[in-house]
DNA sequence: GCCGTTTTCGGCCCGACTGTTTTCAGTCG
């Protein structure tokens, strides 16, 4: 059972207990357990199999949640979860996703009006049954109806935004705001600054002498669909794309504290504030304060905030409360991979298969990126829709590459195009090219493109078999997920990683924003196992080479350093590593 | 329910905005 699945039991228990009006701290324990489990780089199931007492070493998991984890893995159910659902309808959980409806209102609506879900709520609001209930009036009915509309739209659009949508969108907003005179600092915070693979909303922070003109400009941005709230220091809008954007206006002396706070994650902040409290300090978005005297200690720079609680600065990508605080305490935050460490791209397509540009055009674009090499990895024939190359056409492409490299050499250019292919891993685990031709390639990338719905054991065997042939250097997009469109296929990633190690196959971090595959927790696991990662773009256009930035930051989320990445190597060392 | 540089009991992160209030609860991040 996947960690995410186990985690969702606890998140739902937290929601249900909250609706029930239980002790908020008990609620928090369950919610926190959900967060912790979801963020773990090791499979919870594998811990339980090995030695379940290992669970109690995970912070936030005590005796009671330990027992429930074991129960969930063994029985696929949880007694407490079942009992709570007997007391109230499951639709109330969905109600909480409607903006403006929290646990208290959900309970009230259920108790007074018998509301069992979002559809019921919509009917009740349209029939004006809400006004008259304590704390609810006419405005509330309008707001709730609007929120239900937004909720349904977002559900259709799969709720969270891809990095590649939110990132440019936020950058554009920042540029628009920056045009206003008087703005000194402006930064994007939140999950965007942490480079999460999906983004819930965007947070922008500014320092400015006068807040009012910034807020006015903010709510008059042409791309806005709706202004959700507007205050002196905080406003929220929803863009036409559905992306919610928050703006905070701050004093200079608070900027670092606010940046720290609004960057999150929530779990990281709770841990940091808890630490501060134990040291007699209080941290808010306005600064670090002495708990006793209430006196301002520091807050202008983010570094100062961390320093005040005895920590070195922590890169945003690590702030998930997955051990980064302990590392910072010991001064052992790893020197993370930097964009300029990348020396080349080992997975790109040309128009020979389903790309848009030629060998020359892709090579030129890679040189412009400052790379030393690029591997052309067009599809093999099995992926019919992509116009995959048969062995004859592949040989022809190899000759063209050699010819191109020869011309570069004559001109004294050190750049090199590698002969590669993205060879399909068939359903039976065999490869879509013969061993003979694979041997002649500099870089063979293996990938699954069909029969995604195999049973976990079969899929695992399929991939292990492909790796064992010795025909491939790199396993591309190892889980096959398409963010918001397709779930990862079922595969035992522990065994895939162990096999990668055994057969000397590298794993890919596919930087295509819809993929980001492997993800952050898998990457960290691979690093722990000593497997080198190839960060590649899977470019189908020369413009896609820029997507490497998403891969680099995802790698940083997985704690990867320069030494953990295959394509930080220079050409000579790379070729040695690619020998099969 | 979890946890321990004040603690095995008694705490648990903190503040803005909204709509309904006539001083605040609920929601959100």
């Amino acid at each position: 059972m996947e960690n995410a699945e186990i985690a969702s039991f606890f998140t739902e228990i937290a929601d249900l207990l909250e609706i029930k009006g239980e002790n908020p701290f008990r609620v928090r324990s369950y919610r926190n357990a959900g967060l912790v489990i979801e963020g773990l780089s090791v499979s919870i199931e594998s811990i339980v199999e090995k030695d379940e007492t290992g669970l109690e070493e995970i912070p936030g998991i005590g005796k009671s949640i330990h027992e429930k984890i074991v129960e969930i893995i063994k029985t696929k159910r949880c007694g407490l979860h079942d009992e709570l659902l007997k007391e109230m309808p499951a639709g109330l959980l969905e109600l909480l996703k409607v903006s403006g409806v929290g646990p208290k209102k959900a309970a009230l609506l259920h108790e007074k009006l018998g509301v069992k879900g979002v559809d019921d709520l919509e009917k009740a609001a349209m029939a004006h049954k809400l006004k008259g209930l304590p704390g609810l009036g006419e405005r509330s009915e309008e707001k709730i109806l609007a929120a239900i509309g937004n909720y349904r739209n977002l559900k259709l659009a799969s709720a969270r935004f891809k990095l590649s949508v939110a990132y440019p969108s936020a950058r554009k907003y920042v540029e628009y705001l920056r045009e206003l005179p008087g703005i000194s600092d402006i930064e994007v915070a939140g999950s965007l600054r942490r480079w999460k693979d999906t983004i819930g909303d965007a947070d922008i922070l500014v320092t400015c002498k006068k807040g009012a003109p910034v807020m006015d400009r903010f709510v008059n941005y042409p791309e806005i669909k709706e202004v959700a709230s507007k205050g002196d220091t905080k406003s929220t809008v929803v863009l036409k794309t559905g992306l919610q954007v928050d703006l905070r206006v701050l004093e200079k002396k608070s900027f670092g504290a606010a940046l720290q706070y609004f960057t999150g994650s929530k779990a990281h902040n709770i841990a940091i504030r808890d630490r501060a409290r134990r040291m007699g300090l209080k941290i808010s978005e306005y600064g670090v304060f002495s708990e006793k005297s209430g006196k301002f200690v520091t807050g202008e720079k983010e570094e100062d905030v961390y320093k005040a609680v005895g920590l070195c600065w922590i890169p945003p990508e690590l702030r998930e409360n997955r051990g980064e605080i302990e590392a910072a305490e010991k001064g052992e935050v790893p020197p993370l991979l930097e964009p300029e460490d990348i020396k080349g791209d080992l997975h790109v397509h040309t128009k020979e298969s389903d790309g848009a540009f030629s060998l020359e055009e892709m090579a030129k674009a890679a040189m412009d990126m400052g790379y030393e090499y690029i591997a052309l990895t067009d599809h093999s024939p099995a992926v019919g829709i992509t116009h995959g190359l048969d062995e004859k056409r592949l040989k022809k492409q190899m000759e063209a590459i050699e010819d191109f490299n020869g011309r570069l050499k004559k001109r004294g250019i050190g750049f090199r195009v590698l002969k590669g292919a993205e060879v399909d891993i068939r359903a039976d685990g065999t490869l879509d090219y013969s061993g003979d031709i694979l041997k002649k390639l500099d870089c063979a990338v293996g990938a699954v493109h069909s029969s995604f719905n195999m049973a976990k054991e079969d899929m695992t065997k399929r991939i292990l078999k492909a790796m064992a042939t010795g025909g491939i250097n790199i396993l591309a997009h190892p889980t096959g997920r398409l963010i918001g469109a397709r779930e990862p296929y079922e595969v035992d990633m522990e065994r895939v990683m162990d096999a990668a190690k055994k057969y000397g196959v590298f794993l890919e971090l596919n930087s295509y924003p819809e993929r980001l595959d492997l993800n952050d927790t898998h990457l960290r696991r691979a690093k722990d196992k000593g497997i080198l990662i190839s960060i590649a773009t899977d470019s189908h256009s020369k413009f896609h080479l820029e997507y490497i930035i998403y891969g680099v930051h995802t790698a940083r989320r997985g704690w990867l350093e320069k030494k953990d990445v295959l394509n930080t190597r220079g050409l000579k060392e790379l070729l040695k590593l690619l020998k099969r």
Side-chain angles (χ1 to χ4, degrees):
Chain A
M1 191 181 271
E2 297 289 323
N3 286 357
E5 208 180 328
I6 299 168
S8 72
F9 271 96
F10 293 112
T11 307
E12 288 191 10
I13 287 173
D15 283 344
L16 292 164
L17 287 173
E18 209 170 11
I19 294 170
K20 213 181 145 189
E22 258 281 358
N23 175 355
F25 300 108
R26 190 177 168 218
V27 171
R28 180 188 297 171
S29 294
Y30 282 110
R31 197 172 299 289
N32 183 50
L35 279 171
V36 167
I37 292 167
E38 205 178 351
L40 233 47
S41 63
V42 231
S43 139
I44 281 268
E45 193 166 2
S46 74
I47 297 178
V48 173
E49 275 167 17
K50 226 179 269 165
D51 173 17
E52 67 177 64
T53 55
L55 286 176
E56 308 231 346
E57 278 162 36
I58 303 169
I61 295 180
K63 190 165 168 287
S64 171
I65 291 178
H66 166 178
E67 284 168 8
K68 288 186 179 67
I69 290 173
V70 175
E71 181 192 0
I72 290 167
I73 288 175
K74 288 202 174 133
T75 67
K76 311 257 182 226
R77 323 178 58 97
C78 171
L80 176 60
H81 189 257
D82 286 345
E83 269 169 44
L84 289 165
L85 281 179
K86 261 185 227 157
E87 293 174 37
M88 59 197 119
L92 294 189
L93 290 171
E94 198 185 8
L95 227 47
L96 300 182
K97 299 202 173 111
V98 176
S99 171
V101 179
K104 293 285 186 333
K105 283 203 186 111
L108 180 76
L109 292 162
H110 179 234
E111 189 192 335
K112 299 282 182 197
L113 302 175
V115 168
K116 289 198 182 76
V118 173
D119 293 344
D120 287 351
L121 176 58
E122 186 176 35
K123 275 183 215 149
M126 288 204 286
H128 300 294
K129 285 185 182 158
L130 267 46
K131 65 176 176 187
L133 291 180
L136 291 166
E138 220 160 303
R139 274 293 285 144
S140 315
E141 289 183 341
E142 289 168 29
K143 281 219 143 187
I144 281 177
L145 283 173
I148 290 176
N150 281 339
Y151 164 72
R152 294 218 172 103
N153 285 338
L154 277 180
K155 210 167 108 184
L156 284 176
S158 76
R160 288 180 73 87
F161 292 82
K162 275 174 285 205
L163 247 183
S164 55
V165 175
Y167 182 70
S169 180
R171 292 295 289 259
K172 213 174 125 196
Y173 214 149
V174 164
E175 290 317 311
Y176 161 86
L177 288 172
R178 209 195 288 275
E179 283 170 28
L180 189 76
I183 287 186
S184 40
D185 304 283
I186 181 160
E187 285 268 7
V188 174
S191 50
L192 262 172
R193 186 161 176 250
R194 302 200 316 279
W195 295 84
K196 265 197 80 167
D197 49 14
T198 61
I199 305 299
D201 59 12
D203 305 278
I204 302 174
L205 309 183
V206 302
T207 60
C208 200
K209 285 226 174 71
K210 279 190 194 155
V214 190
M215 284 306 178
D216 287 340
R217 186 168 176 82
F218 181 67
V219 298
N220 282 303
Y221 188 53
E223 301 297 316
I224 286 177
K225 181 168 79 180
E226 144 193 13
V227 178
S229 72
K230 183 177 180 241
D232 297 335
T233 62
K234 181 193 172 185
S235 298
T236 298
V237 302
V238 180
L239 300 183
K240 285 172 190 162
T241 56
L243 182 70
Q244 181 178 311
V245 185
D246 294 342
L247 179 72
R248 289 273 183 159
V249 179
L250 299 145
E251 280 183 63
K252 199 155 184 62
K253 67 170 187 174
S254 300
F255 191 73
L259 190 56
Q260 194 284 323
Y261 175 63
F262 287 106
T263 297
S265 67
K266 197 178 172 125
H268 174 87
N269 283 355
I270 289 175
I272 292 286
R273 288 184 179 200
D274 188 45
R275 183 183 171 86
R277 199 180 40 78
R278 288 201 308 270
M279 297 171 75
L281 296 167
K282 198 182 71 152
I283 300 183
S284 77
E285 56 260 55
Y286 299 106
V288 181
F289 300 86
S290 154
E291 193 154 43
K292 261 194 198 140
S293 65
K295 242 177 89 184
F296 177 86
V297 178
T298 188
E300 186 172 340
K301 296 259 177 293
E302 217 179 28
E303 288 85 342
D304 302 338
V305 176
Y306 284 103
K307 206 169 147 194
V309 290
L311 300 174
C312 61
W313 182 80
I314 299 172
E317 293 95 328
L318 299 186
R319 300 182 195 172
E320 300 288 343
N321 198 22
R322 297 176 187 168
E324 73 279 9
I325 295 172
E326 293 76 3
E329 192 170 35
K330 289 183 242 158
E332 288 171 4
V333 174
L336 299 181
L337 178 75
E338 298 288 343
E340 57 270 22
D341 294 332
I342 300 292
K343 298 283 195 296
D345 199 327
L346 298 176
H347 186 167
V348 309
H349 296 271
T350 71
K351 58 185 179 188
E352 285 299 313
S353 65
D354 59 348
F357 291 90
S358 65
L359 182 176
E360 290 81 4
E361 288 166 317
M362 293 308 286
K364 167 81 169 45
M367 284 187 252
D368 289 345
M369 299 271 295
Y371 287 163
E372 292 180 23
Y373 49 82
I374 190 172
L376 301 188
T377 54
D378 278 310
H379 287 283
S380 64
V383 194
I385 197 166
T386 65
H387 192 50
L389 281 64
D390 56 24
E391 297 204 356
K392 202 172 142 196
R393 284 177 60 216
L394 178 58
K395 272 183 195 153
K396 226 174 129 191
Q397 188 187 45
M398 290 161 71
E399 285 164 20
I401 290 171
E402 275 171 13
D403 182 55
F404 181 80
N405 282 334
R407 276 183 279 147
L408 286 183
K409 205 170 176 186
K410 260 186 213 158
R411 289 164 58 197
I413 299 171
F415 185 84
R416 177 94 159 257
V417 180
L418 304 185
K419 291 167 285 183
E422 182 176 8
V423 53
D424 189 58
I425 298 173
R426 300 184 190 124
D428 64 0
T430 59
L431 299 175
D432 199 30
Y433 284 131
S434 70
D436 289 345
I437 196 153
L438 284 171
K439 255 183 235 154
K440 292 183 185 132
L441 294 171
D442 300 314
C443 180
V445 177
V448 166
H449 294 105
S450 61
S451 306
F452 295 113
N453 292 326
M454 290 171 94
K456 187 172 182 176
E457 181 61 24
D458 295 339
M459 184 61 92
T460 306
K461 280 188 180 152
R462 171 186 185 180
I463 293 173
L464 261 49
K465 184 174 167 187
M467 287 198 282
T469 61
I472 58 175
N473 297 107
I474 298 167
L475 178 65
H477 39 76
T479 78
R481 73 161 175 177
L482 292 177
I483 296 170
R486 185 174 72 208
E487 289 294 307
Y489 42 70
E490 299 265 332
V491 67
D492 187 337
M493 195 47 70
E494 281 292 309
R495 279 165 66 199
V496 169
M497 286 187 188
D498 290 339
K501 183 85 189 157
K502 180 174 164 193
Y503 299 118
V505 172
F506 308 111
L507 298 181
E508 182 182 85
L509 159 51
N510 191 298
S511 309
Y512 218 75
E514 281 74 18
R515 291 193 181 271
L516 296 175
D517 178 10
L518 298 172
N519 69 18
D520 51 1
T521 52
H522 284 142
L523 289 165
R524 191 159 174 203
R525 188 71 183 147
K527 172 188 173 145
D528 289 345
K529 287 180 180 276
I531 299 164
L532 282 185
I533 300 295
S534 165
I535 305 181
T537 58
D538 204 350
S539 285
H540 286 71
S541 150
K542 61 182 184 182
F543 303 110
H544 292 165
L545 291 174
E546 306 272 347
Y547 289 164
I548 196 77
I549 194 72
Y550 299 121
V552 168
H553 287 283
T554 300
R556 289 167 62 89
R557 287 181 59 79
W559 294 57
L560 296 199
E561 303 169 43
K562 183 178 179 182
K563 67 177 172 61
D564 302 315
V565 177
L566 176 66
N567 49 318
T568 56
R569 271 49 175 186
L571 179 63
K572 219 172 136 188
E573 199 188 339
L574 175 83
L575 290 173
K576 243 188 250 168
L577 287 165
L578 289 177
K579 280 223 175 85
R580 275 160 291 153

